[in-house]
Amino acid sequence: MDDDEVYGLSWPGKRAAAREAARPATASLELDPEASVSPATTGNLVIEGDNLEALKLLREEYAGRIGTIYVDPPYNTGNDFVYNDSFRGEGDLGGRVHGAWLSMMYARLSVARDLLAADGVGFVSIDANEVAQLTLLLSELFGEGNVFSTIVWVSNLKGRQIRGGGPAGTHEYVLCFSRDATAVRRFVGSADELRRLMPAVYKGAPYPVKHDERGPYVTKNRLHNTNSRFNEKTLPTMVYRIHYHPETGEVRVSDIDDDTTFPGFLTVMPHPNARPGVRWHAWRWSRAKVLAEHADLEFEVTGDQVRIHTKVRDVDAMTMKDLVIGPSTTTGQAELRALGLARVFETPKPVELIRLLVAVASDPDGIVLDFFAGSGTTAEAVMRQNARDGGSRRWIMVQLDEPCAPGTPAAEAGFATVSAITRERIRRAGERIDAPGVDTGFRALRLVEKSV
Ligand SMILES: C[S@@+](CC[C@H](N)C(=O)[O-])C[C@H]1O[C@@H](n2cnc3c(N)ncnc32)[C@H](O)[C@@H]1O
């Protein structure tokens, strides 16, 4: 290895981007009561202006307090959208195509990192153009291993010929990152809802719901650890006998080599292990836990055979998979149409895609931030999730006041800026949310340069 070789992502302009991120904010936030909805009572914000400046200002109040970030930045496709989607600049070919976009993202994500809670989760939507660059950029900013999943979202199953040759593209990505991947919760959603939304991904009949004196439960797993690596040699404390009294429900434990029996009790040996040199699988629960919590074990007795299952009390819980198929780009457009905003914004995400991420990753009373708000889909997704689960999540949207070019459907519908679209969409979506107690208001803030 040569001394000057280092691993990493580099591009011309990276240092300048770091300096830009470090520069203090020069603007302040001003309330526009006319553009707001219920400003006196709401906890939600729509900020108009450049998100780098906005993030720096938000940091003063929200450092380490944002539980969920979802962003859908410009993909740098070079397409002619109502917002700028081309960050092509100077330098060699790679630098020219990716450099300016990377600098833009680097500065913003590095300030966003300060806002994210220690156990918070961030999501970034991206397509094939920049997925490689963005994955490396996030790894650098958040640490290797903290870009913990890449969700595939099938945006268009019809397929679109993106380049001249090769297969037609059907999907995009949602990169998931955190400050500490070990603090990230399991992405548990409602099994019922996941099956309804994506029957092809969440197959199989639901587990039958049973009942005991504590309420409903399902059984998915036996008590033993199915991995044969865990056995009396590798985990001796977890290999023992369990004794069960079928009439009284009483439970006792004893050493694996102790063949004492108890009158009226059935003895349950651990699962036989097929590995050479060992006899038993380890249990998943310690002796103390079995003794204290056996009401959460189901003993299935057939003759003198006993199978032990663990009871899962959250009968509707299921871990989300890293594939989203169903809500598509077309769905997102139809949702805007249904709000009377057809074609004013070309690339709205479907509400259900973001709602799903919010449902599995956010605290019911947390804060959700989207600093590339576009048509404001994230705000609608959060309000809808609050309406479903009674949560009180707050949201913060940031959107640049990019002008809508004359002749575009947005300009023809009377929108001067993209941020005006953001506010109007959220206002209309909020009016349609029919759940008392959901905060559908927002304070409309504007970034204004401080006068010196
Ligand atoms: C891909 S769109 C987001 C679409 C959005 N997820 C939706 O569902 O409607 C990206 C948005 O980021 C906005 N944007 C780009 N640069 C920005 C910046 N520096 N500050 C704030 N917003 C910006 C664009 O105007 C555009 O509306």
Side-chain angles (χ1 to χ4, degrees), residues 269-352:
M269 301 302 283
H271 194 66
N273 196 322
R275 262 184 194 236
V278 293
R279 289 192 65 191
W280 308 112
H281 276 250
W283 299 111
R284 289 188 287 119
W285 286 18
S286 68
R287 291 176 180 222
K289 188 169 164 82
V290 165
L291 291 175
E293 298 178 29
H294 59 80
D296 282 330
L297 294 176
E298 184 192 72
F299 294 84
E300 185 191 332
V301 182
T302 329
D304 59 355
Q305 291 297 309
V306 186
R307 282 170 168 235
I308 310 177
H309 289 93
T310 43
K311 296 176 182 174
V312 178
R313 297 286 172 187
D314 191 351
V315 295
D316 188 37
M318 189 179 270
T319 305
M320 181 193 159
K321 300 182 191 180
D322 59 5
L323 174 66
V324 178
I325 175 164
S328 66
T329 302
T330 324
T331 321
Q333 287 155 347
E335 284 161 351
L336 274 194
R337 198 175 320 120
L339 292 174
L341 296 169
R343 296 176 52 238
V344 302
F345 195 86
E346 293 94 336
T347 59
K349 286 286 181 285
V351 176
E352 289 296 270

Side-chain angles (χ1 to χ4, degrees), residues 49-52 70 72-75 83 87 108 345 347-349 354 370-378 398-400 402 418 425:
D50 178 61
N51 51 14
L52 180 57
Y70 170 82
D72 176 17
Y75 286 2
Y83 57 91
F87 291 74
R108 284 153 181 87
F345 195 86
T347 59
K349 286 286 181 285
I354 306 179
D370 181 346
F371 50 91
F372 287 102
S375 66
T377 312
T378 304
V398 185
Q399 172 56 47
L400 192 62
E402 270 190 76
V418 178
R425 190 273 175 83

